[in-house]
Amino acid sequence: MTPSISQQQLYRFLEDRFACAQACTECARTCAIRASLVDPDGSERQERVRRMGIMCAEVCDATCRVLCEDTRQDEDAIRVRLGWCRSVCLDCAHAFDAYPGAESSAATCRACAEACSHFLETLG
């Protein structure tokens, strides 16, 4: 492997890691806002949307912190974290799909899931 290829791979890895962290941050913000807009004394469906939004915000925030702060983490641990984040984001997007007015929040969750998938591919 030539030095220029390994340097390109490093840049791609860092760019993908940063893009994933950004998507997680945006998703956490969006989900927290969406959850705060749902009536806590609302219907069972509203409660599910609120709970999913809170859980997704927490998972995305934790994932972003792992990606931004801890560069010494085991690659397998990062894979598990990314897979979990992707799964929660997709579940949250499905919950938002059933809630009128939450379409853009669902799209943000899907974008985060896609960024996690892309970063998982970068890890190989």
Side-chain angles (χ1 to χ4, degrees):
M1 190 178 298
T2 65
S4 64
I5 292 174
S6 66
Q7 188 176 25
Q8 288 174 346
Q9 288 173 335
L10 176 61
Y11 287 147
R12 178 176 175 202
F13 173 81
L14 293 173
E15 287 173 352
D16 290 347
R17 187 175 182 135
F18 180 72
C20 187
Q22 271 190 307
C24 287
T25 298
E26 181 61 23
C27 190
R29 185 188 68 75
T30 298
C31 288
I33 290 170
R34 176 59 51 199
S36 74
L37 296 175
V38 177
D39 181 5
D41 297 322
S43 68
E44 187 175 316
R45 188 177 87 176
Q46 289 174 318
E47 178 59 22
R48 180 175 185 278
V49 166
R50 193 173 75 74
R51 278 193 324 250
M52 286 301 304
I54 291 168
M55 183 170 66
C56 192
E58 290 174 353
V59 169
C60 286
D61 182 57
T63 302
C64 179
R65 278 183 288 158
V66 165
L67 293 174
C68 291
E69 295 172 1
D70 194 354
T71 58
R72 297 174 310 239
Q73 257 204 356
D74 172 334
E75 192 173 298
D76 288 335
I78 292 174
R79 285 178 203 280
V80 169
R81 169 63 69 177
L82 291 169
W84 182 39
C85 187
R86 177 180 58 196
S87 177
V88 169
C89 285
L90 291 175
D91 288 346
C92 192
H94 291 303
F96 287 166
D97 284 340
Y99 195 78
E103 297 83 6
S104 66
S105 298
T108 301
C109 289
R110 284 188 179 87
C112 185
E114 185 176 323
C116 288
S117 293
H118 184 71
F119 188 50
L120 276 166
E121 290 171 12
T122 300
L123 293 174

